[in-house]
Amino acid sequence: MRIISGKYRGRTIIPPRNLRARPTTDFAKENLFNVLNNLVDFEELDILDLFSGTGSISYEFASRGARSVTSVEVNSVHHNFIRQTARDLKFENFYAVKANAFLYLKSCTKKFDLIFSDAPYDLEGSEEVIELVLSRDLLKEDGFLIFEHSKDKKFETHPNFWQSRSYGSVQFSFFKKAVSYTHL
């Protein structure tokens, strides 16, 4: 696993063998961040990374200078690895949170510019993240959610669906919060 760009570009991070996470492939991650380069100014972003696993996505945002990165992972071994790696890289404004992602969303009061979710593909009900983020209004104005999933899930009919990207077996669906219009 490597950091693609930013301050730590090219840095290889080797997770211990007891980590059972499936990190987003470097190919998919690189393409996703190429898309994001055209959409956002990383230094202006407050990021929430759910189901962080190895922390790969969190490190990428932190390396690119995100204003803050909150990395949520329930597994103790994974959480400790993320926390230690962030400390070793001296990331500032990096918050490793040991929590169940669904419970975290239900109690979260902070708003984020970008929320990334990479639940295990076989996790029953993983798409509940989409509804929790949107119903709890956790996105800032112009914020969006990126939901990573397998090819067998489709979200094009969701009212907040914005776009999707496909890289091999990895799918990213983007959701935006609904804009409310008032009549003058």
PDB file of all heavy atoms in Angstrom, residues 145-177:
ATOM      1  N   LEU A 145     -20.761  12.477  -0.299  1.00  0.00           N
ATOM      2  CA  LEU A 145     -20.439  11.168   0.231  1.00  0.00           C
ATOM      3  C   LEU A 145     -19.958  10.296  -0.917  1.00  0.00           C
ATOM      4  O   LEU A 145     -20.571  10.299  -1.992  1.00  0.00           O
ATOM      5  CB  LEU A 145     -21.693  10.536   0.855  1.00  0.00           C
ATOM      6  CG  LEU A 145     -21.683   9.028   1.117  1.00  0.00           C
ATOM      7  CD1 LEU A 145     -20.701   8.671   2.220  1.00  0.00           C
ATOM      8  CD2 LEU A 145     -23.090   8.559   1.492  1.00  0.00           C
ATOM      9  N   ILE A 146     -18.871   9.577  -0.692  1.00  0.00           N
ATOM     10  CA  ILE A 146     -18.400   8.576  -1.647  1.00  0.00           C
ATOM     11  C   ILE A 146     -18.557   7.223  -0.971  1.00  0.00           C
ATOM     12  O   ILE A 146     -17.991   6.985   0.098  1.00  0.00           O
ATOM     13  CB  ILE A 146     -16.928   8.792  -2.042  1.00  0.00           C
ATOM     14  CG1 ILE A 146     -16.730  10.184  -2.641  1.00  0.00           C
ATOM     15  CG2 ILE A 146     -16.484   7.702  -3.028  1.00  0.00           C
ATOM     16  CD1 ILE A 146     -15.269  10.550  -2.856  1.00  0.00           C
ATOM     17  N   PHE A 147     -19.345   6.357  -1.613  1.00  0.00           N
ATOM     18  CA  PHE A 147     -19.629   5.032  -1.074  1.00  0.00           C
ATOM     19  C   PHE A 147     -18.979   3.997  -1.977  1.00  0.00           C
ATOM     20  O   PHE A 147     -19.352   3.863  -3.140  1.00  0.00           O
ATOM     21  CB  PHE A 147     -21.152   4.837  -1.014  1.00  0.00           C
ATOM     22  CG  PHE A 147     -21.588   3.570  -0.348  1.00  0.00           C
ATOM     23  CD1 PHE A 147     -21.563   3.454   1.032  1.00  0.00           C
ATOM     24  CD2 PHE A 147     -22.032   2.496  -1.098  1.00  0.00           C
ATOM     25  CE1 PHE A 147     -21.975   2.285   1.657  1.00  0.00           C
ATOM     26  CE2 PHE A 147     -22.443   1.319  -0.497  1.00  0.00           C
ATOM     27  CZ  PHE A 147     -22.417   1.211   0.889  1.00  0.00           C
ATOM     28  N   GLU A 148     -17.972   3.290  -1.459  1.00  0.00           N
ATOM     29  CA  GLU A 148     -17.300   2.248  -2.238  1.00  0.00           C
ATOM     30  C   GLU A 148     -18.065   0.944  -2.084  1.00  0.00           C
ATOM     31  O   GLU A 148     -18.472   0.574  -0.982  1.00  0.00           O
ATOM     32  CB  GLU A 148     -15.855   2.066  -1.759  1.00  0.00           C
ATOM     33  CG  GLU A 148     -15.105   1.027  -2.570  1.00  0.00           C
ATOM     34  CD  GLU A 148     -13.641   0.867  -2.186  1.00  0.00           C
ATOM     35  OE1 GLU A 148     -13.046   1.816  -1.637  1.00  0.00           O
ATOM     36  OE2 GLU A 148     -13.107  -0.217  -2.457  1.00  0.00           O
ATOM     37  N   HIS A 149     -18.244   0.249  -3.216  1.00  0.00           N
ATOM     38  CA  HIS A 149     -19.028  -0.989  -3.168  1.00  0.00           C
ATOM     39  C   HIS A 149     -18.687  -1.889  -4.349  1.00  0.00           C
ATOM     40  O   HIS A 149     -17.962  -1.486  -5.267  1.00  0.00           O
ATOM     41  CB  HIS A 149     -20.530  -0.661  -3.165  1.00  0.00           C
ATOM     42  CG  HIS A 149     -20.980   0.161  -4.324  1.00  0.00           C
ATOM     43  ND1 HIS A 149     -21.422  -0.388  -5.506  1.00  0.00           N
ATOM     44  CD2 HIS A 149     -21.037   1.510  -4.494  1.00  0.00           C
ATOM     45  CE1 HIS A 149     -21.761   0.579  -6.344  1.00  0.00           C
ATOM     46  NE2 HIS A 149     -21.523   1.742  -5.762  1.00  0.00           N
ATOM     47  N   SER A 150     -19.240  -3.086  -4.324  1.00  0.00           N
ATOM     48  CA  SER A 150     -19.028  -4.041  -5.411  1.00  0.00           C
ATOM     49  C   SER A 150     -19.946  -3.704  -6.580  1.00  0.00           C
ATOM     50  O   SER A 150     -20.889  -2.919  -6.444  1.00  0.00           O
ATOM     51  CB  SER A 150     -19.300  -5.464  -4.922  1.00  0.00           C
ATOM     52  OG  SER A 150     -20.654  -5.587  -4.546  1.00  0.00           O
ATOM     53  N   LYS A 151     -19.687  -4.332  -7.712  1.00  0.00           N
ATOM     54  CA  LYS A 151     -20.459  -4.063  -8.928  1.00  0.00           C
ATOM     55  C   LYS A 151     -21.917  -4.497  -8.831  1.00  0.00           C
ATOM     56  O   LYS A 151     -22.737  -4.016  -9.602  1.00  0.00           O
ATOM     57  CB  LYS A 151     -19.817  -4.772 -10.124  1.00  0.00           C
ATOM     58  CG  LYS A 151     -18.557  -4.122 -10.603  1.00  0.00           C
ATOM     59  CD  LYS A 151     -18.064  -4.784 -11.864  1.00  0.00           C
ATOM     60  CE  LYS A 151     -16.894  -3.983 -12.397  1.00  0.00           C
ATOM     61  NZ  LYS A 151     -16.517  -4.376 -13.730  1.00  0.00           N
ATOM     62  N   ASP A 152     -22.256  -5.365  -7.899  1.00  0.00           N
ATOM     63  CA  ASP A 152     -23.626  -5.862  -7.838  1.00  0.00           C
ATOM     64  C   ASP A 152     -24.603  -4.874  -7.193  1.00  0.00           C
ATOM     65  O   ASP A 152     -25.803  -5.093  -7.220  1.00  0.00           O
ATOM     66  CB  ASP A 152     -23.691  -7.219  -7.142  1.00  0.00           C
ATOM     67  CG  ASP A 152     -23.263  -7.172  -5.682  1.00  0.00           C
ATOM     68  OD1 ASP A 152     -22.438  -6.309  -5.340  1.00  0.00           O
ATOM     69  OD2 ASP A 152     -23.747  -8.011  -4.892  1.00  0.00           O
ATOM     70  N   LYS A 153     -24.116  -3.775  -6.663  1.00  0.00           N
ATOM     71  CA  LYS A 153     -25.004  -2.760  -6.074  1.00  0.00           C
ATOM     72  C   LYS A 153     -25.107  -1.578  -7.029  1.00  0.00           C
ATOM     73  O   LYS A 153     -24.125  -1.137  -7.604  1.00  0.00           O
ATOM     74  CB  LYS A 153     -24.483  -2.295  -4.716  1.00  0.00           C
ATOM     75  CG  LYS A 153     -24.536  -3.373  -3.671  1.00  0.00           C
ATOM     76  CD  LYS A 153     -24.155  -2.844  -2.313  1.00  0.00           C
ATOM     77  CE  LYS A 153     -24.245  -3.994  -1.313  1.00  0.00           C
ATOM     78  NZ  LYS A 153     -23.892  -3.598   0.017  1.00  0.00           N
ATOM     79  N   LYS A 154     -26.323  -1.061  -7.150  1.00  0.00           N
ATOM     80  CA  LYS A 154     -26.585   0.088  -8.024  1.00  0.00           C
ATOM     81  C   LYS A 154     -27.379   1.124  -7.229  1.00  0.00           C
ATOM     82  O   LYS A 154     -28.306   0.787  -6.507  1.00  0.00           O
ATOM     83  CB  LYS A 154     -27.400  -0.337  -9.259  1.00  0.00           C
ATOM     84  CG  LYS A 154     -26.770  -1.453 -10.073  1.00  0.00           C
ATOM     85  CD  LYS A 154     -25.621  -0.946 -10.895  1.00  0.00           C
ATOM     86  CE  LYS A 154     -25.076  -2.063 -11.758  1.00  0.00           C
ATOM     87  NZ  LYS A 154     -23.679  -2.010 -11.944  1.00  0.00           N
ATOM     88  N   PHE A 155     -27.016   2.390  -7.409  1.00  0.00           N
ATOM     89  CA  PHE A 155     -27.668   3.459  -6.654  1.00  0.00           C
ATOM     90  C   PHE A 155     -28.186   4.596  -7.531  1.00  0.00           C
ATOM     91  O   PHE A 155     -28.602   5.632  -7.013  1.00  0.00           O
ATOM     92  CB  PHE A 155     -26.688   4.025  -5.619  1.00  0.00           C
ATOM     93  CG  PHE A 155     -26.269   3.014  -4.594  1.00  0.00           C
ATOM     94  CD1 PHE A 155     -25.041   2.372  -4.694  1.00  0.00           C
ATOM     95  CD2 PHE A 155     -27.100   2.687  -3.540  1.00  0.00           C
ATOM     96  CE1 PHE A 155     -24.644   1.435  -3.752  1.00  0.00           C
ATOM     97  CE2 PHE A 155     -26.719   1.750  -2.586  1.00  0.00           C
ATOM     98  CZ  PHE A 155     -25.489   1.116  -2.701  1.00  0.00           C
ATOM     99  N   GLU A 156     -28.181   4.409  -8.845  1.00  0.00           N
ATOM    100  CA  GLU A 156     -28.552   5.480  -9.767  1.00  0.00           C
ATOM    101  C   GLU A 156     -29.944   6.051  -9.518  1.00  0.00           C
ATOM    102  O   GLU A 156     -30.222   7.195  -9.860  1.00  0.00           O
ATOM    103  CB  GLU A 156     -28.439   5.009 -11.222  1.00  0.00           C
ATOM    104  CG  GLU A 156     -27.016   4.871 -11.724  1.00  0.00           C
ATOM    105  CD  GLU A 156     -26.325   3.578 -11.270  1.00  0.00           C
ATOM    106  OE1 GLU A 156     -26.986   2.701 -10.672  1.00  0.00           O
ATOM    107  OE2 GLU A 156     -25.119   3.463 -11.511  1.00  0.00           O
ATOM    108  N   THR A 157     -30.846   5.276  -8.937  1.00  0.00           N
ATOM    109  CA  THR A 157     -32.209   5.762  -8.699  1.00  0.00           C
ATOM    110  C   THR A 157     -32.365   6.481  -7.356  1.00  0.00           C
ATOM    111  O   THR A 157     -33.424   7.028  -7.082  1.00  0.00           O
ATOM    112  CB  THR A 157     -33.224   4.595  -8.771  1.00  0.00           C
ATOM    113  OG1 THR A 157     -32.871   3.625  -7.767  1.00  0.00           O
ATOM    114  CG2 THR A 157     -33.208   3.954 -10.158  1.00  0.00           C
ATOM    115  N   HIS A 158     -31.322   6.485  -6.553  1.00  0.00           N
ATOM    116  CA  HIS A 158     -31.386   7.183  -5.260  1.00  0.00           C
ATOM    117  C   HIS A 158     -31.509   8.685  -5.530  1.00  0.00           C
ATOM    118  O   HIS A 158     -30.802   9.233  -6.380  1.00  0.00           O
ATOM    119  CB  HIS A 158     -30.123   6.887  -4.444  1.00  0.00           C
ATOM    120  CG  HIS A 158     -30.208   7.358  -3.042  1.00  0.00           C
ATOM    121  ND1 HIS A 158     -30.086   8.687  -2.683  1.00  0.00           N
ATOM    122  CD2 HIS A 158     -30.426   6.679  -1.893  1.00  0.00           C
ATOM    123  CE1 HIS A 158     -30.204   8.799  -1.371  1.00  0.00           C
ATOM    124  NE2 HIS A 158     -30.410   7.595  -0.868  1.00  0.00           N
ATOM    125  N   PRO A 159     -32.401   9.377  -4.817  1.00  0.00           N
ATOM    126  CA  PRO A 159     -32.623  10.816  -5.092  1.00  0.00           C
ATOM    127  C   PRO A 159     -31.394  11.699  -4.886  1.00  0.00           C
ATOM    128  O   PRO A 159     -31.316  12.782  -5.467  1.00  0.00           O
ATOM    129  CB  PRO A 159     -33.750  11.208  -4.129  1.00  0.00           C
ATOM    130  CG  PRO A 159     -33.827  10.116  -3.123  1.00  0.00           C
ATOM    131  CD  PRO A 159     -33.268   8.876  -3.751  1.00  0.00           C
ATOM    132  N   ASN A 160     -30.422  11.255  -4.111  1.00  0.00           N
ATOM    133  CA  ASN A 160     -29.223  12.057  -3.867  1.00  0.00           C
ATOM    134  C   ASN A 160     -28.017  11.565  -4.656  1.00  0.00           C
ATOM    135  O   ASN A 160     -26.913  12.081  -4.481  1.00  0.00           O
ATOM    136  CB  ASN A 160     -28.881  12.068  -2.375  1.00  0.00           C
ATOM    137  CG  ASN A 160     -29.967  12.699  -1.550  1.00  0.00           C
ATOM    138  OD1 ASN A 160     -30.892  12.011  -1.138  1.00  0.00           O
ATOM    139  ND2 ASN A 160     -29.880  13.990  -1.341  1.00  0.00           N
ATOM    140  N   PHE A 161     -28.228  10.587  -5.521  1.00  0.00           N
ATOM    141  CA  PHE A 161     -27.140  10.065  -6.339  1.00  0.00           C
ATOM    142  C   PHE A 161     -26.641  11.165  -7.264  1.00  0.00           C
ATOM    143  O   PHE A 161     -27.413  11.902  -7.863  1.00  0.00           O
ATOM    144  CB  PHE A 161     -27.629   8.866  -7.167  1.00  0.00           C
ATOM    145  CG  PHE A 161     -26.587   8.315  -8.088  1.00  0.00           C
ATOM    146  CD1 PHE A 161     -25.608   7.459  -7.616  1.00  0.00           C
ATOM    147  CD2 PHE A 161     -26.579   8.648  -9.436  1.00  0.00           C
ATOM    148  CE1 PHE A 161     -24.633   6.944  -8.459  1.00  0.00           C
ATOM    149  CE2 PHE A 161     -25.612   8.147 -10.300  1.00  0.00           C
ATOM    150  CZ  PHE A 161     -24.638   7.296  -9.804  1.00  0.00           C
ATOM    151  N   TRP A 162     -25.310  11.263  -7.403  1.00  0.00           N
ATOM    152  CA  TRP A 162     -24.707  12.289  -8.232  1.00  0.00           C
ATOM    153  C   TRP A 162     -23.984  11.672  -9.422  1.00  0.00           C
ATOM    154  O   TRP A 162     -24.203  12.030 -10.563  1.00  0.00           O
ATOM    155  CB  TRP A 162     -23.773  13.130  -7.370  1.00  0.00           C
ATOM    156  CG  TRP A 162     -23.001  14.190  -8.064  1.00  0.00           C
ATOM    157  CD1 TRP A 162     -23.369  14.908  -9.169  1.00  0.00           C
ATOM    158  CD2 TRP A 162     -21.710  14.668  -7.701  1.00  0.00           C
ATOM    159  NE1 TRP A 162     -22.377  15.810  -9.495  1.00  0.00           N
ATOM    160  CE2 TRP A 162     -21.354  15.683  -8.604  1.00  0.00           C
ATOM    161  CE3 TRP A 162     -20.820  14.351  -6.676  1.00  0.00           C
ATOM    162  CZ2 TRP A 162     -20.149  16.362  -8.533  1.00  0.00           C
ATOM    163  CZ3 TRP A 162     -19.629  15.038  -6.585  1.00  0.00           C
ATOM    164  CH2 TRP A 162     -19.304  16.032  -7.517  1.00  0.00           C
ATOM    165  N   GLN A 163     -23.078  10.738  -9.154  1.00  0.00           N
ATOM    166  CA  GLN A 163     -22.326  10.090 -10.224  1.00  0.00           C
ATOM    167  C   GLN A 163     -21.693   8.818  -9.690  1.00  0.00           C
ATOM    168  O   GLN A 163     -21.648   8.600  -8.489  1.00  0.00           O
ATOM    169  CB  GLN A 163     -21.251  11.016 -10.788  1.00  0.00           C
ATOM    170  CG  GLN A 163     -20.181  11.437  -9.783  1.00  0.00           C
ATOM    171  CD  GLN A 163     -19.109  12.299 -10.417  1.00  0.00           C
ATOM    172  OE1 GLN A 163     -18.341  11.815 -11.238  1.00  0.00           O
ATOM    173  NE2 GLN A 163     -19.050  13.562 -10.028  1.00  0.00           N
ATOM    174  N   SER A 164     -21.186   7.995 -10.612  1.00  0.00           N
ATOM    175  CA  SER A 164     -20.459   6.799 -10.186  1.00  0.00           C
ATOM    176  C   SER A 164     -19.206   6.661 -11.030  1.00  0.00           C
ATOM    177  O   SER A 164     -19.130   7.184 -12.150  1.00  0.00           O
ATOM    178  CB  SER A 164     -21.325   5.549 -10.286  1.00  0.00           C
ATOM    179  OG  SER A 164     -21.625   5.274 -11.629  1.00  0.00           O
ATOM    180  N   ARG A 165     -18.249   5.949 -10.493  1.00  0.00           N
ATOM    181  CA  ARG A 165     -16.991   5.656 -11.170  1.00  0.00           C
ATOM    182  C   ARG A 165     -16.693   4.182 -10.937  1.00  0.00           C
ATOM    183  O   ARG A 165     -16.923   3.668  -9.850  1.00  0.00           O
ATOM    184  CB  ARG A 165     -15.837   6.506 -10.619  1.00  0.00           C
ATOM    185  CG  ARG A 165     -16.044   8.005 -10.714  1.00  0.00           C
ATOM    186  CD  ARG A 165     -16.032   8.462 -12.160  1.00  0.00           C
ATOM    187  NE  ARG A 165     -16.379   9.859 -12.261  1.00  0.00           N
ATOM    188  CZ  ARG A 165     -15.722  10.730 -12.997  1.00  0.00           C
ATOM    189  NH1 ARG A 165     -14.678  10.341 -13.718  1.00  0.00           N
ATOM    190  NH2 ARG A 165     -16.104  11.979 -13.037  1.00  0.00           N
ATOM    191  N   SER A 166     -16.163   3.539 -11.968  1.00  0.00           N
ATOM    192  CA  SER A 166     -15.853   2.120 -11.887  1.00  0.00           C
ATOM    193  C   SER A 166     -14.405   1.900 -12.276  1.00  0.00           C
ATOM    194  O   SER A 166     -13.956   2.371 -13.320  1.00  0.00           O
ATOM    195  CB  SER A 166     -16.782   1.348 -12.838  1.00  0.00           C
ATOM    196  OG  SER A 166     -16.476  -0.017 -12.792  1.00  0.00           O
ATOM    197  N   TYR A 167     -13.683   1.185 -11.409  1.00  0.00           N
ATOM    198  CA  TYR A 167     -12.275   0.876 -11.658  1.00  0.00           C
ATOM    199  C   TYR A 167     -12.057  -0.600 -11.348  1.00  0.00           C
ATOM    200  O   TYR A 167     -11.895  -0.972 -10.187  1.00  0.00           O
ATOM    201  CB  TYR A 167     -11.350   1.753 -10.808  1.00  0.00           C
ATOM    202  CG  TYR A 167     -11.624   3.223 -11.019  1.00  0.00           C
ATOM    203  CD1 TYR A 167     -12.280   3.971 -10.059  1.00  0.00           C
ATOM    204  CD2 TYR A 167     -11.255   3.846 -12.209  1.00  0.00           C
ATOM    205  CE1 TYR A 167     -12.550   5.314 -10.266  1.00  0.00           C
ATOM    206  CE2 TYR A 167     -11.516   5.189 -12.420  1.00  0.00           C
ATOM    207  CZ  TYR A 167     -12.173   5.911 -11.443  1.00  0.00           C
ATOM    208  OH  TYR A 167     -12.445   7.232 -11.656  1.00  0.00           O
ATOM    209  N   GLY A 168     -12.107  -1.428 -12.382  1.00  0.00           N
ATOM    210  CA  GLY A 168     -11.998  -2.865 -12.177  1.00  0.00           C
ATOM    211  C   GLY A 168     -13.205  -3.352 -11.392  1.00  0.00           C
ATOM    212  O   GLY A 168     -14.340  -3.060 -11.742  1.00  0.00           O
ATOM    213  N   SER A 169     -12.968  -4.035 -10.307  1.00  0.00           N
ATOM    214  CA  SER A 169     -14.068  -4.558  -9.490  1.00  0.00           C
ATOM    215  C   SER A 169     -14.548  -3.550  -8.445  1.00  0.00           C
ATOM    216  O   SER A 169     -15.470  -3.822  -7.680  1.00  0.00           O
ATOM    217  CB  SER A 169     -13.624  -5.840  -8.789  1.00  0.00           C
ATOM    218  OG  SER A 169     -12.536  -5.560  -7.928  1.00  0.00           O
ATOM    219  N   VAL A 170     -13.928  -2.378  -8.410  1.00  0.00           N
ATOM    220  CA  VAL A 170     -14.260  -1.355  -7.408  1.00  0.00           C
ATOM    221  C   VAL A 170     -15.203  -0.315  -8.013  1.00  0.00           C
ATOM    222  O   VAL A 170     -14.940   0.223  -9.085  1.00  0.00           O
ATOM    223  CB  VAL A 170     -12.973  -0.666  -6.887  1.00  0.00           C
ATOM    224  CG1 VAL A 170     -13.314   0.415  -5.885  1.00  0.00           C
ATOM    225  CG2 VAL A 170     -12.029  -1.682  -6.289  1.00  0.00           C
ATOM    226  N   GLN A 171     -16.281  -0.050  -7.298  1.00  0.00           N
ATOM    227  CA  GLN A 171     -17.269   0.958  -7.704  1.00  0.00           C
ATOM    228  C   GLN A 171     -17.293   2.067  -6.649  1.00  0.00           C
ATOM    229  O   GLN A 171     -17.265   1.769  -5.453  1.00  0.00           O
ATOM    230  CB  GLN A 171     -18.661   0.347  -7.766  1.00  0.00           C
ATOM    231  CG  GLN A 171     -18.789  -0.847  -8.667  1.00  0.00           C
ATOM    232  CD  GLN A 171     -18.863  -0.421 -10.103  1.00  0.00           C
ATOM    233  OE1 GLN A 171     -17.935  -0.656 -10.852  1.00  0.00           O
ATOM    234  NE2 GLN A 171     -19.925   0.184 -10.484  1.00  0.00           N
ATOM    235  N   PHE A 172     -17.366   3.295  -7.111  1.00  0.00           N
ATOM    236  CA  PHE A 172     -17.562   4.429  -6.210  1.00  0.00           C
ATOM    237  C   PHE A 172     -18.852   5.129  -6.630  1.00  0.00           C
ATOM    238  O   PHE A 172     -18.965   5.561  -7.770  1.00  0.00           O
ATOM    239  CB  PHE A 172     -16.407   5.433  -6.305  1.00  0.00           C
ATOM    240  CG  PHE A 172     -15.072   4.895  -5.885  1.00  0.00           C
ATOM    241  CD1 PHE A 172     -14.079   4.666  -6.820  1.00  0.00           C
ATOM    242  CD2 PHE A 172     -14.789   4.633  -4.551  1.00  0.00           C
ATOM    243  CE1 PHE A 172     -12.829   4.186  -6.458  1.00  0.00           C
ATOM    244  CE2 PHE A 172     -13.548   4.153  -4.172  1.00  0.00           C
ATOM    245  CZ  PHE A 172     -12.563   3.928  -5.133  1.00  0.00           C
ATOM    246  N   SER A 173     -19.809   5.230  -5.708  1.00  0.00           N
ATOM    247  CA  SER A 173     -21.018   6.008  -5.963  1.00  0.00           C
ATOM    248  C   SER A 173     -20.932   7.279  -5.144  1.00  0.00           C
ATOM    249  O   SER A 173     -20.608   7.249  -3.950  1.00  0.00           O
ATOM    250  CB  SER A 173     -22.274   5.218  -5.592  1.00  0.00           C
ATOM    251  OG  SER A 173     -22.469   4.160  -6.501  1.00  0.00           O
ATOM    252  N   PHE A 174     -21.209   8.410  -5.794  1.00  0.00           N
ATOM    253  CA  PHE A 174     -21.145   9.722  -5.163  1.00  0.00           C
ATOM    254  C   PHE A 174     -22.560  10.210  -4.893  1.00  0.00           C
ATOM    255  O   PHE A 174     -23.433  10.112  -5.761  1.00  0.00           O
ATOM    256  CB  PHE A 174     -20.475  10.731  -6.102  1.00  0.00           C
ATOM    257  CG  PHE A 174     -19.009  10.514  -6.347  1.00  0.00           C
ATOM    258  CD1 PHE A 174     -18.545   9.391  -7.007  1.00  0.00           C
ATOM    259  CD2 PHE A 174     -18.091  11.462  -5.938  1.00  0.00           C
ATOM    260  CE1 PHE A 174     -17.192   9.204  -7.261  1.00  0.00           C
ATOM    261  CE2 PHE A 174     -16.732  11.288  -6.181  1.00  0.00           C
ATOM    262  CZ  PHE A 174     -16.282  10.156  -6.847  1.00  0.00           C
ATOM    263  N   PHE A 175     -22.761  10.772  -3.700  1.00  0.00           N
ATOM    264  CA  PHE A 175     -24.053  11.321  -3.309  1.00  0.00           C
ATOM    265  C   PHE A 175     -23.840  12.739  -2.809  1.00  0.00           C
ATOM    266  O   PHE A 175     -22.857  13.014  -2.126  1.00  0.00           O
ATOM    267  CB  PHE A 175     -24.679  10.486  -2.187  1.00  0.00           C
ATOM    268  CG  PHE A 175     -24.926   9.059  -2.574  1.00  0.00           C
ATOM    269  CD1 PHE A 175     -23.916   8.106  -2.469  1.00  0.00           C
ATOM    270  CD2 PHE A 175     -26.160   8.670  -3.055  1.00  0.00           C
ATOM    271  CE1 PHE A 175     -24.127   6.792  -2.838  1.00  0.00           C
ATOM    272  CE2 PHE A 175     -26.390   7.351  -3.424  1.00  0.00           C
ATOM    273  CZ  PHE A 175     -25.374   6.411  -3.321  1.00  0.00           C
ATOM    274  N   LYS A 176     -24.779  13.618  -3.155  1.00  0.00           N
ATOM    275  CA  LYS A 176     -24.752  14.994  -2.653  1.00  0.00           C
ATOM    276  C   LYS A 176     -25.984  15.221  -1.802  1.00  0.00           C
ATOM    277  O   LYS A 176     -27.029  14.620  -2.050  1.00  0.00           O
ATOM    278  CB  LYS A 176     -24.746  15.986  -3.809  1.00  0.00           C
ATOM    279  CG  LYS A 176     -23.425  16.149  -4.489  1.00  0.00           C
ATOM    280  CD  LYS A 176     -23.468  17.317  -5.437  1.00  0.00           C
ATOM    281  CE  LYS A 176     -22.077  17.844  -5.629  1.00  0.00           C
ATOM    282  NZ  LYS A 176     -22.049  19.112  -6.301  1.00  0.00           N
ATOM    283  N   LYS A 177     -25.838  16.109  -0.834  1.00  0.00           N
ATOM    284  CA  LYS A 177     -27.023  16.431  -0.059  1.00  0.00           C
ATOM    285  C   LYS A 177     -27.991  17.217  -0.922  1.00  0.00           C
ATOM    286  O   LYS A 177     -27.572  17.918  -1.838  1.00  0.00           O
ATOM    287  CB  LYS A 177     -26.641  17.161   1.224  1.00  0.00           C
ATOM    288  CG  LYS A 177     -26.282  18.629   1.085  1.00  0.00           C
ATOM    289  CD  LYS A 177     -25.758  19.193   2.376  1.00  0.00           C
ATOM    290  CE  LYS A 177     -26.761  20.099   3.025  1.00  0.00           C
ATOM    291  NZ  LYS A 177     -26.278  20.686   4.266  1.00  0.00           N
TER     292      LYS A 177
END
